[in-house]
Amino acid sequence: MRALILNRFNLASTRYHEWAQPGARLVLVTSESGLSGDPDERVRQLAGYERVEIFDDYDENPAVEDFCITQFTSGDFDRVLAMSESDILRAARIREALGVAGQSVASALAFRDKVDMKNHCLTSGVPTAKFAEVRNVSELREFIEAVGFPVVVKPRREAGSIGVRVLRAEKDLNDLVVEGYFRGQDDAHLIAEDYIEHDLYHIDGLIFGGRMLWSWTSHMSSTLGHLVNEPLRSVMLAESDPMLERTRSLVGAALDALPTPDLAIFHAELFDNGSHGLLFNEIAARVGGAKVHATLRAAFGTALIEWYVRQELNSGDGVPPPSSPRTLGGFTMMRPLVGILREAPEDCPLEGIEQYQLGAEIGDRLEPAEASTDSIASFVVLGKDTKEIHRVLDAAEGWFTSNLSIEPL
């Protein structure tokens, strides 16, 4: 077994060489940010790999893909591993260039490009909000004329709600044009959707043999909270909640509609609206962001990333995580405020906190959040029921805010 690994995660916790079968040969292409700044720890993190190539600006750097397709040839690898949004499509192109089995370009596009994704769902009758590909201002105006305000406009291939805008009136559309969402004569890569008031659910799970093997659903606050400085909060559903099976059924239908890969982690988002019912929003063939993975790992005792890597590297047994959690879990992400961070607690004394992380250092200059996953601090909480989890998250958010000092610029 020889595998090419595309990695942007922290190697302190993503231990590919430990999860591989004995004798596996691993070539690691990784982000500089995933490595420790301590030289000795860095050496330990990179031990065990046959070859390592490190890139700055990893997510956007075309040299990552160029390196893989020029330094290697067909037959060099048995697998190409990729789990982050920025890697899904380029990993598929690398597989095809090197003749490696796994998720194809057509499949990666369907899980990456929101227009392609929703066209597959539309053809198969999976319910979604009305949508349209938007390449220019004229097409956006045509869509607004058809459905009326408000509408959502977002990039077709971004993640974490980056670049998402809600247009509620003509002024919002004018602002969008002025701010450069449409430039020159080139086509914009946008999708417009009918805005629907909703409860938001995310369902995270594993694909095995091209079908959903395991999943769990959580209720989440708006992923646009970073635009108004509201925390991002997610709480797992109770096993008795009927929405658990309803959401699984809809995501299962979406997976049937899409060119689903044989093996993957998935993260999907669904809307629930009283008049429209349950609607499919989007799905990605990678682990959920924010504290999704940490929460599920604490609740089920199984790390989805490790499970997936072991399957890819032929060291797993295919047994999914438990069908029921040991306990319920949830998380909250606290938004950064603009200014200089002067005080923030390094440890949390509150009961019920499974994990607390401060995402900035004293003296840092803080900028507004650009993505739904941007935060200055995060909490993972475990509890016997959803009421208890919300109570602890309320306390955590209040405690952090009261112990935070930011000097305005």
Side-chain angles (χ1 to χ4, degrees):
M1 161 66 71
R2 191 179 190 221
L4 174 64
I5 299 171
L6 305 183
N7 173 74
R8 69 182 297 273
F9 297 146
N10 187 335
L11 287 175
S13 56
T14 315
R15 301 182 297 276
Y16 299 98
H17 56 84
E18 292 183 19
W19 300 337
Q21 62 178 318
R25 299 160 59 201
L26 307 181
V27 174
L28 179 68
V29 178
T30 187
S31 163
E32 175 68 38
S33 62
L35 299 172
S36 172
D38 177 78
D40 293 335
E41 178 60 25
R42 191 184 182 99
V43 169
R44 286 190 288 270
Q45 288 177 347
L46 298 180
Y49 294 100
E50 180 180 286
R51 181 174 178 180
V52 175
E53 198 72 18
I54 303 167
F55 289 90
D56 291 319
D57 191 26
Y58 179 87
D59 287 356
E60 305 295 332
N61 194 341
V64 173
E65 184 173 340
D66 191 55
F67 167 80
C68 294
I69 63 176
T70 58
Q71 296 297 307
F72 305 102
T73 189
S74 181
D76 281 352
F77 297 105
D78 301 291
R79 306 297 291 176
V80 174
L81 275 68
M83 289 179 288
S84 65
E85 191 80 7
S86 60
D87 280 327
I88 296 302
L89 185 53
R90 67 181 170 195
R93 292 193 294 260
I94 291 167
R95 288 188 193 98
E96 295 197 356
L98 301 181
V100 180
Q103 187 176 28
S104 66
V105 170
S107 174
L109 277 170
F111 280 80
R112 184 83 169 95
D113 188 294
K114 295 173 178 62
V115 171
D116 195 23
M117 178 191 303
K118 294 198 174 186
N119 278 331
H120 278 285
C121 290
L122 182 65
T123 300
S124 297
V126 177
T128 70
K130 295 177 182 177
F131 70 95
E133 178 182 9
V134 172
R135 294 166 293 188
N136 49 60
V137 180
S138 296
E139 289 182 346
L140 178 55
R141 286 196 173 276
E142 287 174 8
F143 182 73
I144 293 173
E145 184 176 348
V147 304
F149 287 110
V151 300
V152 178
V153 178
K154 54 189 175 185
R156 291 170 56 166
R157 297 184 186 178
E158 279 290 1
S161 299
I162 294 174
V164 177
R165 296 286 292 272
V166 179
L167 311 184
R168 301 184 182 277
E170 181 70 19
K171 179 184 181 303
D172 298 325
L173 174 55
N174 293 337
D175 290 343
L176 192 79
V177 173
V178 170
E179 291 170 17
Y181 273 62
F182 304 96
R183 289 190 177 276
Q185 302 303 312
D186 294 334
D187 286 348
H189 297 281
L190 302 172
I191 181 173
E193 300 171 343
D194 187 15
Y195 179 81
I196 296 172
E197 295 289 346
H198 60 269
D199 282 333
L200 176 63
Y201 293 89
H202 64 90
I203 177 169
D204 299 271
L206 300 169
I207 296 167
F208 189 73
R211 305 297 296 272
M212 185 193 302
L213 174 70
W214 176 92
S215 70
W216 203 267
T217 305
S218 301
H219 184 263
M220 179 178 270
S221 61
S222 174
T223 54
L224 300 182
H226 63 292
L227 301 179
V228 292
N229 199 38
E230 292 180 351
L232 177 67
R233 181 182 292 197
S234 170
V235 176
M236 291 169 54
L237 297 188
E239 192 166 10
S240 60
D241 194 321
M243 190 60 74
L244 196 62
E245 289 307 317
R246 287 185 60 199
T247 53
R248 283 173 172 164
S249 177
L250 183 55
V251 172
L255 291 174
D256 289 341
L258 295 165
T260 299
D262 184 68
L263 176 66
I265 304 173
F266 74 83
H267 172 76
E269 292 181 2
L270 309 176
F271 297 153
D272 185 39
N273 175 279
S275 58
H276 293 82
L278 195 61
L279 301 176
F280 172 81
N281 181 36
E282 58 189 55
I283 189 169
R286 45 86 177 167
V287 69
K291 290 298 176 180
V292 169
H293 186 262
T295 301
L296 293 176
R297 181 179 58 203
F300 288 91
T302 301
L304 301 189
I305 289 176
E306 180 179 352
W307 187 94
Y308 166 80
V309 171
R310 287 186 181 277
Q311 293 304 129
E312 284 279 28
L313 299 180
N314 293 339
S315 63
D317 55 15
V319 177
S323 59
S324 301
R326 300 180 298 187
T327 183
L328 294 183
F331 69 83
T332 190
M333 309 285 286
M334 304 298 294
R335 304 299 183 188
L337 298 173
V338 178
I340 306 299
L341 181 62
R342 295 306 183 194
E343 291 182 30
E346 295 186 0
D347 300 297
C348 180
L350 302 181
E351 293 185 4
I353 304 298
E354 172 73 12
Q355 180 189 103
Y356 164 67
Q357 287 186 325
L358 180 63
E361 296 182 358
I362 304 303
D364 282 355
R365 179 189 176 108
L366 305 179
E367 302 291 345
E370 295 182 351
S372 61
T373 54
D374 287 347
S375 70
I376 186 176
S378 62
F379 298 86
V380 174
V381 168
L382 298 179
K384 65 179 184 297
D385 54 36
T386 58
K387 184 177 180 179
E388 179 181 348
I389 293 172
H390 279 294
R391 177 184 61 77
V392 177
L393 289 175
D394 285 341
E397 291 173 3
W399 168 83
F400 181 78
T401 301
S402 66
N403 285 279
L404 180 68
S405 175
I406 297 177
E407 178 185 331
L409 296 177

